[in-house]
Amino acid sequence: MTQDSPPIRRRPRPAPGGLRDMWDIACGVQTIWWREVKRSLTDRGQLIGGVSRPLLWVLILGVGLNPFFRGEVMGDVRFIVPYTYLQYIFPGVIVLNILYTSIQSAVSLIWDREFGFLREVLVSPLPRNFILLGKVLGGATTAVVHGLLVLAVARFANIQMGLADVGMAMALMFLLAFGMTSLGIVIANHVKGFEGFGVFSNALVLPLYFTSSSVFPLDPALTRAQTLVTYPRWLVALVEANPVTYAVDTMRGILIGFNQFPMALGWQITGAMAAGLFVFAMIEFRRL
Amino acid sequence: MSQTNTATDAAPLPAIAVEGLSQRYGRTLALDNISLTVPTGSLFALIGPNGAGKSTLIDILCTIRAPLSGRALVAGLDVSRDPRGVRRRIGVIFQNSTLDTRLSVFDNLQFHARVHAMDRAERHERIDYMLDLVQLTEWRRSPVRALSAGMKRRLEIARGLLHDPEILFMDEPTVGLDPQSRANIWQYLAELRQRTGLTIVVTTHYIDEVGGADQVCVIDRGKILVHGTPAALKAAHGTTLLRLQPEGEDGRAAILSAHPDAIDTPDGTMLVRFASLPEAEGALAALRGRIGLATLEPPSLESVFLNLTGRALREEAPAPGRGKAQAGRGRK
């Protein structure tokens, strides 16, 4: 122990709701955010997944199915999508990476809960909702980075974008990631250990992805009646009910200019999902 | 030094005031109408077996859990109405480690300082000071997982005190530590309290550790059994304990026939209570030949607990610390 007296002085306590208090909260949120980002971006396993997953989808599935992506039946062209399959699937793969990474990032909540760190955060002066906000922002940031990893190779899928498109794509990625990380938090709150979470998230991510019209289009040239003839009714219903469909569709609109639904619909649904799921997570987080 | 928040000289505000606090989990009442006050600047010990409600009480006082009913004021603030105000004024060291083992020693402290809104200069000054206090300065850059259990505990103490709290809560701070580390930690805390006027609330089931507390509160099954200074409690409820190691079943039967109120403990010894030392010595002489090892224990807080509950406190001690606790207990 040192012999000289410690610098003890009572720290001033800012008035709640004041400007200083809000600044303190913002700094706290930033601290939690940065811990999440630093941790997941230095996690080699997550990073390898973030790179290998899209590579598989784009290289194997995208390149492999490319020649079959023309609606010819016995020489009759029934509909034409003016894009290669690689171009078509690319925005979907970005969304897939976002889905995986953001839901996975909620594992950090389980980690903090199991190893006690969560309590350290809960007894800090930060309000609970802002602790949650820091965590969700952290997960969303990581997911956007993983989305950008895919976007970085857009050139090889023959996708041309301007700077504005990249900005729009990032904004959409962020909204989607924000909602999905919140969803991950809700799930993490209900599972006991790490294993349970893995099963849960896979059982959620893959169906969401496959029914989001990301790997096959609902024919845009057909009327609704014709669509229902071409595809089984239940599949159309699933695709249309899946909110991720609209995020994928808008992403496709931004990147290759191809839409099956109105562009604005994707923004609205993804935004509503982000807000709604965050509120849901807030309610869940109170019960911790 | 810490008395800046006292309202009037006549009646200094207690650090903690609890009134009629209850909490339940499912059907069990974890806390049953608890009321107590902790004077500012005191070392207050909550003792009781595991599951007595100590941790629940600490959780409520730290605003992690809401009380079912009743009122709790910490540093003069209501835990239900102003939880953030309370959290600014307290430091907490939980029973299980809450360090991020993947971060370095410094980064753990840095995180804490930042969420407590300490500015940069203050942060660095305090981190340096606290690291020196707990003798971890050389380990500043090491990842926490490289530290020993005792060093981790010290780091948690440093972190709990980093933001200069008025009240420090410690839930079983010495569980799982070797006797030497345990003694060191108590010494740190005593020095710290002298120097800063900090109020310390500590829970433990190592009853021999709290002899130096200003006040001891014995809690069992959600209720306060007694509350007072260690000396007063020993005088009122303490008895001389004779700890006997019976020689086989015969020995056990002999002890039981002479003393039907003898209590079995999990380590195989038996405890008999006596009002005075000579009485105990007489009984010991009568049992000569039937017992292996005998230990006479003067009135202790442990005998207080035994008399109040009819159970030995260590019966329900958690497994990890127990062997060490007994190894370190050389009482004759």
Side-chain angles (χ1 to χ4, degrees):
Chain A
M1 281 206 171
T2 46
Q3 293 313 308
D4 52 331
S5 223
I8 292 289
R9 42 185 147 70
R10 287 276 161 248
R11 295 158 36 69
R13 325 279 185 194
L19 214 58
R20 169 76 215 189
D21 190 39
M22 270 146 62
W23 172 251
D24 285 351
I25 291 176
C27 288
V29 170
Q30 189 255 345
T31 307
I32 292 175
W33 167 79
W34 179 237
R35 173 171 171 268
E36 297 289 323
V37 173
K38 197 162 122 184
R39 200 166 66 175
S40 42
L41 291 186
T42 50
D43 180 350
R44 221 169 279 162
Q46 250 192 47
L47 217 56
I48 289 171
V51 173
S52 69
R53 199 180 310 118
L55 273 183
L56 272 178
W57 280 93
V58 171
L59 282 185
I60 311 298
L61 206 70
V63 174
L65 284 179
N66 219 11
F68 299 95
F69 194 60
R70 286 288 182 265
E72 294 178 29
V73 176
M74 311 290 282
D76 284 331
V77 177
R78 296 197 31 211
F79 64 91
I80 295 171
V81 180
Y83 303 98
T84 66
Y85 187 58
L86 211 49
Q87 286 173 325
Y88 179 83
I89 199 179
F90 197 82
V93 174
I94 292 179
V95 167
L96 174 70
N97 234 18
I98 299 267
L99 289 184
Y100 257 111
T101 312
S102 39
I103 290 193
Q104 202 61 35
S105 69
V107 165
S108 84
L109 182 68
I110 301 181
W111 209 94
D112 284 355
R113 197 180 62 204
E114 300 297 308
F115 293 91
F117 193 78
L118 187 63
R119 302 193 126 221
E120 147 78 354
V121 184
L122 290 180
V123 290
S124 79
L126 282 177
R128 263 191 199 198
N129 290 342
F130 286 90
I131 295 174
L132 176 68
L133 180 67
K135 281 210 162 285
V136 173
L137 283 178
T141 307
T142 313
V144 170
V145 169
H146 282 203
L148 286 175
L149 285 178
V150 185
L151 202 61
V153 294
R155 174 179 295 269
F156 301 103
N158 211 2
I159 291 173
Q160 260 88 45
M161 323 168 270
L163 217 55
D165 298 332
V166 175
M168 293 253 279
M170 276 178 71
L172 187 65
M173 281 187 227
F174 181 79
L175 272 185
L176 181 66
F178 192 87
M180 285 298 143
T181 310
S182 304
L183 180 62
I185 300 262
V186 173
I187 297 170
N189 212 13
H190 283 274
V191 298
K192 290 258 152 46
F194 297 92
E195 302 85 357
F197 188 83
V199 173
F200 217 128
S201 68
N202 259 325
L204 190 76
V205 168
L206 286 178
L208 271 182
Y209 174 65
F210 282 126
T211 61
S212 67
S213 170
S214 53
V215 282
F216 56 86
L218 291 181
D219 181 0
L222 298 181
T223 62
R224 188 173 160 78
Q226 286 170 310
T227 304
L228 287 176
V229 171
T230 318
Y231 290 99
R233 203 174 279 267
W234 58 266
L235 186 59
V236 177
L238 270 182
V239 170
E240 285 177 353
N242 181 357
V244 180
T245 301
Y246 304 93
V248 172
D249 190 65
T250 299
M251 186 64 81
R252 202 173 275 133
I254 295 169
L255 294 181
I256 62 173
F258 172 73
N259 281 103
Q260 301 177 80
F261 303 97
M263 270 290 259
L265 200 58
W267 288 105
Q268 285 156 4
I269 288 178
T270 315
M273 233 180 7
L277 289 171
F278 185 74
V279 171
F280 191 13
M282 246 158 65
I283 296 166
E284 287 281 326
F285 206 59
R286 276 184 192 288
R287 301 189 316 149
L288 271 180
Chain B
M1 254 185 277
S2 71
Q3 262 74 343
T4 47
N5 61 343
T6 48
T8 56
D9 292 333
L13 221 57
I16 295 169
V18 170
E19 264 176 51
L21 209 61
S22 295
Q23 177 60 279
R24 72 167 67 241
Y25 298 126
R27 270 193 219 156
T28 41
L29 211 50
L31 288 179
D32 187 2
N33 200 15
I34 296 257
S35 299
L36 56 87
T37 49
V38 177
T40 298
S42 63
L43 172 57
F44 186 92
L46 266 174
I47 59 177
N50 278 20
K54 295 174 308 216
S55 293
T56 306
L57 180 57
I58 296 281
D59 278 0
I60 290 173
L61 295 178
C62 297
T63 77
I64 282 191
R65 216 185 284 274
L68 188 70
S69 63
R71 219 160 83 98
L73 296 179
V74 174
L77 303 172
D78 192 313
V79 291
S80 308
R81 284 206 208 118
D82 188 5
R84 291 187 60 212
V86 170
R87 295 206 292 264
R88 281 203 185 93
R89 289 162 176 81
I90 60 172
V92 191
I93 295 157
F94 289 105
Q95 184 166 357
N96 299 312
S97 168
T98 61
L99 296 165
D100 188 337
T101 52
R102 291 178 297 184
L103 294 180
S104 70
V105 167
F106 178 79
D107 284 345
N108 265 285
L109 295 175
Q110 170 93 334
F111 181 94
H112 185 87
R114 294 182 69 126
V115 293
H116 275 86
M118 295 166 73
D119 64 42
R120 195 186 160 77
E122 188 187 14
R123 222 154 59 206
H124 285 263
E125 185 187 359
R126 289 287 298 177
I127 289 177
D128 287 346
Y129 171 71
M130 289 312 308
L131 280 177
D132 187 41
L133 183 74
V134 297
Q135 299 171 352
L136 285 175
T137 304
E138 299 115 86
W139 298 84
R140 191 186 178 89
R141 294 281 158 207
S142 315
V144 167
R145 60 172 177 272
L147 304 187
S148 71
M151 287 155 85
K152 281 185 192 154
R153 264 289 177 235
R154 267 147 53 200
L155 176 57
E156 285 199 276
I157 291 175
R159 188 180 64 179
L161 294 170
L162 188 64
H163 58 287
D164 187 19
E166 293 165 26
I167 302 164
L168 181 67
F169 289 97
M170 296 198 295
D171 198 0
E172 303 276 0
T174 52
V175 164
L177 298 186
D178 55 275
Q180 197 197 341
S181 305
R182 286 165 53 195
N184 280 345
I185 282 174
W186 284 107
Q187 200 196 331
Y188 282 137
L189 292 175
E191 282 180 45
L192 216 112
R193 201 159 65 90
Q194 251 178 8
R195 196 181 297 181
T196 61
L198 187 71
T199 306
I200 300 179
V201 177
V202 60
T203 76
T204 186
H205 61 265
Y206 294 141
I207 221 158
D208 49 345
E209 286 184 345
V210 298
D214 299 317
Q215 297 222 33
V216 175
C217 176
V218 181
I219 174 170
D220 190 30
R221 300 195 171 130
K223 284 189 172 145
I224 293 179
L225 300 179
V226 278
H227 179 188
T229 64
L233 291 187
K234 278 187 233 174
H237 305 280
T239 42
T240 300
L241 283 183
L242 183 57
R243 190 181 291 274
L244 300 167
Q245 180 82 56
E247 286 279 336
E249 270 308 303
D250 282 358
R252 189 171 177 279
I255 294 171
L256 274 178
S257 70
H259 306 283
D261 61 340
I263 296 165
D264 282 305
T265 68
D267 56 8
T269 60
M270 300 182 78
L271 286 175
V272 189
R273 284 172 277 182
F274 295 97
S276 67
L277 197 61
E279 249 182 81
E281 281 168 349
L284 184 56
L287 284 168
R288 199 164 293 280
R290 303 292 186 87
I291 46 175
L293 199 72
T295 321
L296 259 180
E297 300 176 5
S300 64
L301 285 172
E302 182 163 15
S303 69
V304 172
F305 187 82
L306 192 65
N307 284 333
L308 290 169
T309 64
R311 288 175 295 147
L313 189 60
R314 284 182 292 165
E315 263 171 44
E316 290 164 58
R322 212 174 71 194
K324 286 171 186 162
Q326 280 164 2
R329 181 188 290 264
R331 201 188 279 151
K332 165 74 203 175

